[in-house]
Amino acid sequence: MGAAVDHVIPIGMSRGSVEGNDKSQGQRFSSKSKLTALVVDNGGVCCAIQTALLRSYGVGTEAVETGGAAVELISSGATFSLIIIEMLLPFMNGPETAKQIRAIGAQSKVLGITAFFDERDQQEFLAARADDFIEKPLSLEIVIPIIRELNN
Amino acid sequence: MERIQMRRQLALMRQSFFDQGFLDEQFIQLEELQDDANPNFVEEVVTLYYRDSSRLILNIDQALERNPLDFNKLDNYMHQFKGSSTSIGAKKVKAECTQFREYCKAGNSEGKKDKLGPWRQHVAQGIDGRGQKKKQDLTWQNIVIDKSKIHTFNHQKNGCPSGITMFWFSM
């Protein structure tokens, strides 16, 4: 896409395996309509886990470490069904990132995520037009309903 | 025979982590993400967690040496630490992070600085403990990290945590 973005490829997961690790066999829903997700988190562990979890359900997932990288990626034309944004990011925080992503026209489902739930953070995210705000971990219980919703 | 014994030992160790409250169901979700396409997922993530945690603990310890304490910085470190601990299923560490944050909130008001004492001790123990336990860790490491032996566990579909994990989860 020509944009210089700060891509984080979680260890053990080459770009070639974006479609791999598909555990949607046997699940009632399938991700045949190709869903995509963007994880915005500067914590390597969280990034790796969230990415692996989404990919295991057939969601083509990328990860970046900063809000700026996310904005750049989307500005250059990338679209995502789902964008998960950590509250505390370097330089530009989660809500500010969400705000800018909406400003450039992203229609994705935006999910704010944090280590410590805080109502003010929640309000900030929702004011920035995020759709929801949850506390980590990003678990199956959270992911499955979202995927169902996005598939419909 | 040796392999079977080793497998049994590690399975017991793994179960004890859950029984003692070091790990929760989030860790099981990690194990389920490991498969033929991602055969070393658990080990990779745990190793990453160990590296990140070491760095964070060091930062926190240094920040605790400051006078006055920079609570904003401490809060940020704890946020990161809790985030990764929660994601990996390190139940006990996660609880410590939450507790520490309460100390910080209390410490923000005057005269409560000593509340950080217990946590500081924890941190110090953690860092010293790592030195002490090193020998023991290395033995476990030899068992778990040695690729040829890992091969046997992967077929079990149990992401057996490394000895490093054992230490950190018991912090």
Side-chain angles (χ1 to χ4, degrees), chain B residues 26-60:
Chain B
Q26 184 62 21
F27 189 78
I28 296 176
Q29 286 199 9
L30 284 205
E31 291 178 321
E32 287 175 354
L33 288 173
Q34 179 161 301
D35 60 13
D36 293 335
N38 259 318
N40 300 309
F41 180 67
V42 176
E43 187 196 335
E44 285 168 359
V45 173
V46 164
T47 305
L48 184 58
Y49 173 69
Y50 179 69
R51 234 175 41 216
D52 282 359
S53 307
S54 306
R55 180 180 43 87
L56 281 170
I57 295 259
L58 223 57
N59 288 340
I60 290 167

mmCIF file of all heavy atoms in Angstrom, chain B residues 26-60:
data_model
loop_
_atom_site.group_PDB
_atom_site.id
_atom_site.type_symbol
_atom_site.label_atom_id
_atom_site.label_comp_id
_atom_site.label_asym_id
_atom_site.label_seq_id
_atom_site.Cartn_x
_atom_site.Cartn_y
_atom_site.Cartn_z
ATOM 1 N N GLN B 26 -7.973 -18.553 31.145
ATOM 2 C CA GLN B 26 -7.426 -17.837 30.003
ATOM 3 C C GLN B 26 -6.203 -18.581 29.453
ATOM 4 O O GLN B 26 -5.964 -18.601 28.245
ATOM 5 C CB GLN B 26 -7.036 -16.404 30.419
ATOM 6 C CG GLN B 26 -6.542 -15.528 29.293
ATOM 7 C CD GLN B 26 -7.562 -15.276 28.199
ATOM 8 O OE1 GLN B 26 -8.775 -15.421 28.401
ATOM 9 N NE2 GLN B 26 -7.104 -14.915 27.019
ATOM 10 N N PHE B 27 -5.447 -19.213 30.328
ATOM 11 C CA PHE B 27 -4.288 -19.981 29.887
ATOM 12 C C PHE B 27 -4.719 -21.169 29.038
ATOM 13 O O PHE B 27 -4.061 -21.540 28.076
ATOM 14 C CB PHE B 27 -3.463 -20.453 31.091
ATOM 15 C CG PHE B 27 -2.149 -21.063 30.697
ATOM 16 C CD1 PHE B 27 -1.076 -20.263 30.334
ATOM 17 C CD2 PHE B 27 -1.988 -22.441 30.669
ATOM 18 C CE1 PHE B 27 0.143 -20.826 29.959
ATOM 19 C CE2 PHE B 27 -0.770 -23.005 30.300
ATOM 20 C CZ PHE B 27 0.291 -22.200 29.947
ATOM 21 N N ILE B 28 -5.851 -21.754 29.404
ATOM 22 C CA ILE B 28 -6.374 -22.877 28.618
ATOM 23 C C ILE B 28 -6.748 -22.414 27.216
ATOM 24 O O ILE B 28 -6.532 -23.125 26.236
ATOM 25 C CB ILE B 28 -7.577 -23.516 29.334
ATOM 26 C CG1 ILE B 28 -7.099 -24.111 30.661
ATOM 27 C CG2 ILE B 28 -8.229 -24.580 28.469
ATOM 28 C CD1 ILE B 28 -8.213 -24.697 31.506
ATOM 29 N N GLN B 29 -7.302 -21.206 27.129
ATOM 30 C CA GLN B 29 -7.616 -20.668 25.806
ATOM 31 C C GLN B 29 -6.346 -20.525 24.961
ATOM 32 O O GLN B 29 -6.360 -20.765 23.749
ATOM 33 C CB GLN B 29 -8.320 -19.301 25.926
ATOM 34 C CG GLN B 29 -9.757 -19.433 26.375
ATOM 35 C CD GLN B 29 -10.611 -18.209 26.077
ATOM 36 O OE1 GLN B 29 -10.192 -17.302 25.377
ATOM 37 N NE2 GLN B 29 -11.811 -18.198 26.620
ATOM 38 N N LEU B 30 -5.253 -20.167 25.615
ATOM 39 C CA LEU B 30 -3.978 -20.080 24.909
ATOM 40 C C LEU B 30 -3.562 -21.446 24.390
ATOM 41 O O LEU B 30 -3.115 -21.600 23.256
ATOM 42 C CB LEU B 30 -2.868 -19.609 25.837
ATOM 43 C CG LEU B 30 -2.749 -18.173 26.254
ATOM 44 C CD1 LEU B 30 -1.305 -17.898 26.622
ATOM 45 C CD2 LEU B 30 -3.173 -17.239 25.154
ATOM 46 N N GLU B 31 -3.680 -22.438 25.256
ATOM 47 C CA GLU B 31 -3.282 -23.793 24.868
ATOM 48 C C GLU B 31 -4.087 -24.266 23.670
ATOM 49 O O GLU B 31 -3.585 -24.966 22.799
ATOM 50 C CB GLU B 31 -3.479 -24.749 26.046
ATOM 51 C CG GLU B 31 -2.506 -24.508 27.194
ATOM 52 C CD GLU B 31 -2.763 -25.432 28.368
ATOM 53 O OE1 GLU B 31 -3.951 -25.686 28.678
ATOM 54 O OE2 GLU B 31 -1.785 -25.903 28.972
ATOM 55 N N GLU B 32 -5.353 -23.862 23.635
ATOM 56 C CA GLU B 32 -6.206 -24.290 22.530
ATOM 57 C C GLU B 32 -5.868 -23.587 21.227
ATOM 58 O O GLU B 32 -6.287 -24.022 20.163
ATOM 59 C CB GLU B 32 -7.674 -24.080 22.904
ATOM 60 C CG GLU B 32 -8.096 -25.119 23.933
ATOM 61 C CD GLU B 32 -9.493 -24.916 24.463
ATOM 62 O OE1 GLU B 32 -10.121 -23.901 24.124
ATOM 63 O OE2 GLU B 32 -9.940 -25.797 25.226
ATOM 64 N N LEU B 33 -5.102 -22.515 21.326
ATOM 65 C CA LEU B 33 -4.673 -21.836 20.105
ATOM 66 C C LEU B 33 -3.439 -22.510 19.504
ATOM 67 O O LEU B 33 -2.998 -22.170 18.418
ATOM 68 C CB LEU B 33 -4.356 -20.364 20.400
ATOM 69 C CG LEU B 33 -5.571 -19.488 20.676
ATOM 70 C CD1 LEU B 33 -5.141 -18.101 21.130
ATOM 71 C CD2 LEU B 33 -6.445 -19.377 19.445
ATOM 72 N N GLN B 34 -2.858 -23.436 20.242
ATOM 73 C CA GLN B 34 -1.684 -24.141 19.757
ATOM 74 C C GLN B 34 -2.125 -25.356 18.955
ATOM 75 O O GLN B 34 -2.971 -26.109 19.416
ATOM 76 C CB GLN B 34 -0.807 -24.577 20.928
ATOM 77 C CG GLN B 34 0.434 -25.340 20.497
ATOM 78 C CD GLN B 34 1.486 -25.359 21.584
ATOM 79 O OE1 GLN B 34 1.952 -24.311 22.028
ATOM 80 N NE2 GLN B 34 1.875 -26.542 22.033
ATOM 81 N N ASP B 35 -1.605 -25.483 17.767
ATOM 82 C CA ASP B 35 -1.931 -26.653 16.953
ATOM 83 C C ASP B 35 -0.826 -26.837 15.915
ATOM 84 O O ASP B 35 0.243 -26.256 16.043
ATOM 85 C CB ASP B 35 -3.301 -26.503 16.300
ATOM 86 C CG ASP B 35 -3.361 -25.283 15.389
ATOM 87 O OD1 ASP B 35 -2.297 -24.714 15.066
ATOM 88 O OD2 ASP B 35 -4.475 -24.885 15.017
ATOM 89 N N ASP B 36 -1.090 -27.622 14.907
ATOM 90 C CA ASP B 36 -0.045 -27.925 13.920
ATOM 91 C C ASP B 36 0.426 -26.683 13.178
ATOM 92 O O ASP B 36 1.591 -26.570 12.819
ATOM 93 C CB ASP B 36 -0.558 -28.968 12.916
ATOM 94 C CG ASP B 36 -0.786 -30.311 13.593
ATOM 95 O OD1 ASP B 36 -0.126 -30.563 14.624
ATOM 96 O OD2 ASP B 36 -1.632 -31.089 13.115
ATOM 97 N N ALA B 37 -0.500 -25.760 12.964
ATOM 98 C CA ALA B 37 -0.108 -24.540 12.257
ATOM 99 C C ALA B 37 0.719 -23.630 13.162
ATOM 100 O O ALA B 37 1.550 -22.858 12.721
ATOM 101 C CB ALA B 37 -1.347 -23.797 11.757
ATOM 102 N N ASN B 38 0.488 -23.744 14.450
ATOM 103 C CA ASN B 38 1.170 -22.912 15.452
ATOM 104 C C ASN B 38 1.691 -23.794 16.567
ATOM 105 O O ASN B 38 1.197 -23.730 17.695
ATOM 106 C CB ASN B 38 0.175 -21.915 16.063
ATOM 107 C CG ASN B 38 0.316 -20.531 15.479
ATOM 108 O OD1 ASN B 38 1.418 -20.044 15.275
ATOM 109 N ND2 ASN B 38 -0.807 -19.913 15.219
ATOM 110 N N PRO B 39 2.661 -24.647 16.260
ATOM 111 C CA PRO B 39 3.038 -25.695 17.211
ATOM 112 C C PRO B 39 3.729 -25.226 18.488
ATOM 113 O O PRO B 39 3.753 -25.944 19.472
ATOM 114 C CB PRO B 39 3.997 -26.579 16.389
ATOM 115 C CG PRO B 39 4.520 -25.685 15.331
ATOM 116 C CD PRO B 39 3.443 -24.701 15.027
ATOM 117 N N ASN B 40 4.259 -24.014 18.456
ATOM 118 C CA ASN B 40 4.998 -23.543 19.635
ATOM 119 C C ASN B 40 4.384 -22.296 20.246
ATOM 120 O O ASN B 40 5.051 -21.531 20.935
ATOM 121 C CB ASN B 40 6.450 -23.240 19.252
ATOM 122 C CG ASN B 40 7.152 -24.471 18.712
ATOM 123 O OD1 ASN B 40 7.128 -25.517 19.342
ATOM 124 N ND2 ASN B 40 7.736 -24.347 17.533
ATOM 125 N N PHE B 41 3.115 -22.121 19.977
ATOM 126 C CA PHE B 41 2.464 -20.870 20.366
ATOM 127 C C PHE B 41 2.603 -20.581 21.861
ATOM 128 O O PHE B 41 3.002 -19.498 22.256
ATOM 129 C CB PHE B 41 0.990 -20.923 19.973
ATOM 130 C CG PHE B 41 0.230 -19.685 20.342
ATOM 131 C CD1 PHE B 41 0.506 -18.471 19.723
ATOM 132 C CD2 PHE B 41 -0.745 -19.713 21.324
ATOM 133 C CE1 PHE B 41 -0.180 -17.313 20.065
ATOM 134 C CE2 PHE B 41 -1.442 -18.562 21.683
ATOM 135 C CZ PHE B 41 -1.147 -17.358 21.047
ATOM 136 N N VAL B 42 2.278 -21.556 22.677
ATOM 137 C CA VAL B 42 2.297 -21.321 24.127
ATOM 138 C C VAL B 42 3.694 -20.938 24.588
ATOM 139 O O VAL B 42 3.883 -19.948 25.305
ATOM 140 C CB VAL B 42 1.803 -22.557 24.912
ATOM 141 C CG1 VAL B 42 1.933 -22.311 26.409
ATOM 142 C CG2 VAL B 42 0.364 -22.859 24.561
ATOM 143 N N GLU B 43 4.675 -21.706 24.160
ATOM 144 C CA GLU B 43 6.043 -21.424 24.591
ATOM 145 C C GLU B 43 6.485 -20.034 24.132
ATOM 146 O O GLU B 43 7.114 -19.282 24.879
ATOM 147 C CB GLU B 43 6.996 -22.480 24.020
ATOM 148 C CG GLU B 43 8.413 -22.342 24.557
ATOM 149 C CD GLU B 43 9.424 -23.103 23.729
ATOM 150 O OE1 GLU B 43 9.030 -24.086 23.069
ATOM 151 O OE2 GLU B 43 10.603 -22.717 23.745
ATOM 152 N N GLU B 44 6.113 -19.684 22.911
ATOM 153 C CA GLU B 44 6.520 -18.377 22.375
ATOM 154 C C GLU B 44 5.883 -17.238 23.166
ATOM 155 O O GLU B 44 6.553 -16.265 23.523
ATOM 156 C CB GLU B 44 6.119 -18.280 20.901
ATOM 157 C CG GLU B 44 7.040 -19.109 20.004
ATOM 158 C CD GLU B 44 6.489 -19.259 18.599
ATOM 159 O OE1 GLU B 44 5.386 -18.739 18.331
ATOM 160 O OE2 GLU B 44 7.159 -19.904 17.780
ATOM 161 N N VAL B 45 4.606 -17.361 23.415
ATOM 162 C CA VAL B 45 3.912 -16.291 24.133
ATOM 163 C C VAL B 45 4.413 -16.193 25.575
ATOM 164 O O VAL B 45 4.610 -15.090 26.100
ATOM 165 C CB VAL B 45 2.382 -16.513 24.109
ATOM 166 C CG1 VAL B 45 1.695 -15.497 24.986
ATOM 167 C CG2 VAL B 45 1.852 -16.390 22.697
ATOM 168 N N VAL B 46 4.614 -17.344 26.183
ATOM 169 C CA VAL B 46 5.091 -17.335 27.568
ATOM 170 C C VAL B 46 6.497 -16.732 27.652
ATOM 171 O O VAL B 46 6.798 -15.963 28.566
ATOM 172 C CB VAL B 46 5.067 -18.771 28.145
ATOM 173 C CG1 VAL B 46 5.900 -18.859 29.409
ATOM 174 C CG2 VAL B 46 3.643 -19.193 28.440
ATOM 175 N N THR B 47 7.335 -17.067 26.696
ATOM 176 C CA THR B 47 8.686 -16.496 26.668
ATOM 177 C C THR B 47 8.623 -14.986 26.490
ATOM 178 O O THR B 47 9.350 -14.234 27.149
ATOM 179 C CB THR B 47 9.505 -17.120 25.522
ATOM 180 O OG1 THR B 47 9.489 -18.535 25.653
ATOM 181 C CG2 THR B 47 10.941 -16.633 25.540
ATOM 182 N N LEU B 48 7.749 -14.558 25.615
ATOM 183 C CA LEU B 48 7.557 -13.124 25.396
ATOM 184 C C LEU B 48 7.068 -12.455 26.680
ATOM 185 O O LEU B 48 7.537 -11.380 27.064
ATOM 186 C CB LEU B 48 6.540 -12.923 24.268
ATOM 187 C CG LEU B 48 6.259 -11.508 23.805
ATOM 188 C CD1 LEU B 48 7.525 -10.829 23.329
ATOM 189 C CD2 LEU B 48 5.206 -11.511 22.697
ATOM 190 N N TYR B 49 6.138 -13.110 27.350
ATOM 191 C CA TYR B 49 5.602 -12.591 28.599
ATOM 192 C C TYR B 49 6.704 -12.469 29.650
ATOM 193 O O TYR B 49 6.793 -11.472 30.360
ATOM 194 C CB TYR B 49 4.483 -13.518 29.111
ATOM 195 C CG TYR B 49 3.965 -13.159 30.485
ATOM 196 C CD1 TYR B 49 3.232 -11.992 30.683
ATOM 197 C CD2 TYR B 49 4.204 -13.983 31.580
ATOM 198 C CE1 TYR B 49 2.753 -11.657 31.939
ATOM 199 C CE2 TYR B 49 3.727 -13.652 32.840
ATOM 200 C CZ TYR B 49 3.006 -12.492 33.007
ATOM 201 O OH TYR B 49 2.536 -12.165 34.252
ATOM 202 N N TYR B 50 7.522 -13.481 29.708
ATOM 203 C CA TYR B 50 8.618 -13.469 30.673
ATOM 204 C C TYR B 50 9.555 -12.300 30.405
ATOM 205 O O TYR B 50 9.936 -11.561 31.308
ATOM 206 C CB TYR B 50 9.378 -14.784 30.596
ATOM 207 C CG TYR B 50 10.542 -14.860 31.539
ATOM 208 C CD1 TYR B 50 10.335 -14.928 32.914
ATOM 209 C CD2 TYR B 50 11.844 -14.851 31.078
ATOM 210 C CE1 TYR B 50 11.410 -14.986 33.789
ATOM 211 C CE2 TYR B 50 12.911 -14.910 31.944
ATOM 212 C CZ TYR B 50 12.693 -14.979 33.296
ATOM 213 O OH TYR B 50 13.759 -15.033 34.151
ATOM 214 N N ARG B 51 9.884 -12.097 29.166
ATOM 215 C CA ARG B 51 10.787 -10.993 28.792
ATOM 216 C C ARG B 51 10.166 -9.647 29.137
ATOM 217 O O ARG B 51 10.786 -8.796 29.748
ATOM 218 C CB ARG B 51 11.076 -11.062 27.299
ATOM 219 C CG ARG B 51 12.566 -11.085 26.992
ATOM 220 C CD ARG B 51 12.869 -11.261 25.534
ATOM 221 N NE ARG B 51 12.017 -10.523 24.638
ATOM 222 C CZ ARG B 51 11.611 -10.991 23.451
ATOM 223 N NH1 ARG B 51 11.980 -12.189 23.061
ATOM 224 N NH2 ARG B 51 10.835 -10.271 22.677
ATOM 225 N N ASP B 52 8.919 -9.467 28.714
ATOM 226 C CA ASP B 52 8.229 -8.210 28.982
ATOM 227 C C ASP B 52 8.092 -7.962 30.483
ATOM 228 O O ASP B 52 8.288 -6.842 30.957
ATOM 229 C CB ASP B 52 6.827 -8.217 28.346
ATOM 230 C CG ASP B 52 6.888 -7.953 26.857
ATOM 231 O OD1 ASP B 52 7.999 -7.756 26.334
ATOM 232 O OD2 ASP B 52 5.823 -7.944 26.213
ATOM 233 N N SER B 53 7.723 -9.003 31.214
ATOM 234 C CA SER B 53 7.530 -8.874 32.664
ATOM 235 C C SER B 53 8.830 -8.499 33.354
ATOM 236 O O SER B 53 8.830 -7.668 34.258
ATOM 237 C CB SER B 53 7.014 -10.186 33.260
ATOM 238 O OG SER B 53 5.887 -10.623 32.581
ATOM 239 N N SER B 54 9.917 -9.136 32.945
ATOM 240 C CA SER B 54 11.218 -8.816 33.549
ATOM 241 C C SER B 54 11.509 -7.340 33.396
ATOM 242 O O SER B 54 11.923 -6.670 34.338
ATOM 243 C CB SER B 54 12.341 -9.605 32.880
ATOM 244 O OG SER B 54 12.076 -10.968 32.890
ATOM 245 N N ARG B 55 11.289 -6.851 32.205
ATOM 246 C CA ARG B 55 11.553 -5.440 31.917
ATOM 247 C C ARG B 55 10.641 -4.551 32.755
ATOM 248 O O ARG B 55 11.084 -3.581 33.370
ATOM 249 C CB ARG B 55 11.350 -5.184 30.423
ATOM 250 C CG ARG B 55 11.598 -3.743 29.999
ATOM 251 C CD ARG B 55 11.374 -3.566 28.502
ATOM 252 N NE ARG B 55 10.193 -4.243 27.992
ATOM 253 C CZ ARG B 55 8.973 -3.734 27.970
ATOM 254 N NH1 ARG B 55 8.752 -2.536 28.464
ATOM 255 N NH2 ARG B 55 7.956 -4.428 27.477
ATOM 256 N N LEU B 56 9.372 -4.885 32.801
ATOM 257 C CA LEU B 56 8.414 -4.079 33.547
ATOM 258 C C LEU B 56 8.744 -4.063 35.030
ATOM 259 O O LEU B 56 8.698 -3.017 35.673
ATOM 260 C CB LEU B 56 6.992 -4.607 33.335
ATOM 261 C CG LEU B 56 6.330 -4.196 32.022
ATOM 262 C CD1 LEU B 56 5.042 -4.976 31.815
ATOM 263 C CD2 LEU B 56 6.036 -2.703 32.015
ATOM 264 N N ILE B 57 9.087 -5.227 35.561
ATOM 265 C CA ILE B 57 9.403 -5.323 36.991
ATOM 266 C C ILE B 57 10.619 -4.463 37.315
ATOM 267 O O ILE B 57 10.654 -3.772 38.332
ATOM 268 C CB ILE B 57 9.677 -6.789 37.397
ATOM 269 C CG1 ILE B 57 8.424 -7.629 37.228
ATOM 270 C CG2 ILE B 57 10.214 -6.834 38.813
ATOM 271 C CD1 ILE B 57 7.681 -7.904 38.481
ATOM 272 N N LEU B 58 11.576 -4.491 36.442
ATOM 273 C CA LEU B 58 12.783 -3.676 36.632
ATOM 274 C C LEU B 58 12.413 -2.207 36.621
ATOM 275 O O LEU B 58 12.853 -1.425 37.471
ATOM 276 C CB LEU B 58 13.777 -3.976 35.506
ATOM 277 C CG LEU B 58 15.232 -4.124 35.930
ATOM 278 C CD1 LEU B 58 15.376 -5.219 36.983
ATOM 279 C CD2 LEU B 58 16.087 -4.473 34.717
ATOM 280 N N ASN B 59 11.589 -1.817 35.657
ATOM 281 C CA ASN B 59 11.146 -0.426 35.566
ATOM 282 C C ASN B 59 10.386 0.000 36.815
ATOM 283 O O ASN B 59 10.583 1.095 37.337
ATOM 284 C CB ASN B 59 10.234 -0.230 34.344
ATOM 285 C CG ASN B 59 11.006 -0.285 33.037
ATOM 286 O OD1 ASN B 59 12.218 -0.103 33.019
ATOM 287 N ND2 ASN B 59 10.311 -0.544 31.945
ATOM 288 N N ILE B 60 9.510 -0.903 37.266
ATOM 289 C CA ILE B 60 8.715 -0.598 38.450
ATOM 290 C C ILE B 60 9.629 -0.444 39.667
ATOM 291 O O ILE B 60 9.495 0.494 40.451
ATOM 292 C CB ILE B 60 7.658 -1.696 38.696
ATOM 293 C CG1 ILE B 60 6.582 -1.644 37.618
ATOM 294 C CG2 ILE B 60 7.027 -1.545 40.078
ATOM 295 C CD1 ILE B 60 5.682 -2.853 37.590
#
